Structure formats: C-alpha cells, structure tokens
Amino acid sequence: MDRLKLSLRRALLIAPFLLFAGSAFGRDDGRYADSPLKPWFDSLRSHLGPCCSDADGFAVSDPDWESHDGHYRVRLDGQWVDVPDEAVITEPNRAGRTMVWPVKTAFGISIRCFMPGSMI
C-alpha cells in the first residue's frame, strides 16, 4: 500500500511538468515554407528556448504591448502578461512587427519569446 501511495505521489508531482512541456512543442504547418524569413524565424531563440517558427508566434498590435522601465508586457486573451526578461529577443527584428510566442498551460499564459517592434 505504501508503494502505491508513493507512486501516486510521484505521478502527481510529475504531471504538471509534463503538461507544461507538452504545450511548449511547436508546430510547422508549412504556411511559411516559401518565406525568405523562414530560416531566420526557425533559428530564433530566447534564453527560455527556441521560439519555434513564425507559425507559432503571432504579431501584436501596438496597443496590445508596452514597455516601461526596460520591461515589457503584452495583452493576451484580454489580460496583461509580463514578459520575462529572459524571453526578450535582443537581435534585430527582421520582421519589423512586434511578435510574441505564448505558451498556454493549465496554470495560465507564459511567454516563451517576445520580439519588440518599432512602436511608432
């Protein structure tokens, strides 16, 4: 009986990590296969890991993101989400538009990658 309890306890501790990891995998449905920016998008990484590709990220309109004291936040699904400093891509933005790669889990929305635009 103690082994069963221990196994159940381990499963409950590991389950949230599996849920998070499973939702972080990217997908490439081929929409941007002919884009000259595809190799660049595929190579994008933040300190939190690979951003996947353009198909996984999406453009954010200027009213839906902001910068304050060197930190960013973005509005997703009607709520403001702070962008971790580790998620900010610091290389030049070849796409020209603000983009975000959110990861949605049972615990809420986190940001895997964020690439600020011009905010003009």
Side-chain angles (χ1 to χ4, degrees):
M1 189 61 139
D2 289 332
R3 289 186 128 175
L4 180 62
K5 286 181 182 178
L6 184 60
S7 295
L8 183 57
R9 186 174 295 152
R10 280 188 189 148
L12 290 174
L13 288 172
I14 293 171
F17 295 105
L18 293 175
L19 287 173
F20 176 77
S23 65
F25 291 116
R27 66 190 184 289
D28 184 0
D29 61 9
R31 279 185 281 178
Y32 302 100
D34 296 328
S35 170
L37 290 178
K38 183 177 181 352
W40 175 72
F41 274 110
D42 288 343
S43 71
L44 286 177
R45 298 180 63 81
S46 72
H47 290 287
L48 299 176
C51 301
C52 297
S53 70
D54 191 29
D56 296 313
F58 61 89
V60 180
S61 301
D62 284 348
D64 292 326
W65 73 282
E66 61 187 22
S67 174
H68 182 70
D69 291 334
H71 301 282
Y72 298 98
R73 69 182 194 149
V74 62
R75 187 175 15 224
L76 299 170
D77 295 337
Q79 65 180 358
W80 285 100
V81 179
D82 291 324
V83 175
D85 292 338
E86 300 84 23
V88 178
I89 298 171
T90 57
E91 71 176 81
N93 183 341
R94 294 185 195 175
R97 60 194 190 266
T98 302
M99 296 195 67
V100 65
W101 286 260
V103 176
K104 297 180 182 181
T105 68
F107 305 108
I109 300 172
S110 63
I111 308 287
R112 168 59 80 72
C113 297
F114 177 80
M115 186 169 45
S118 62
M119 208 172 197
I120 295 175

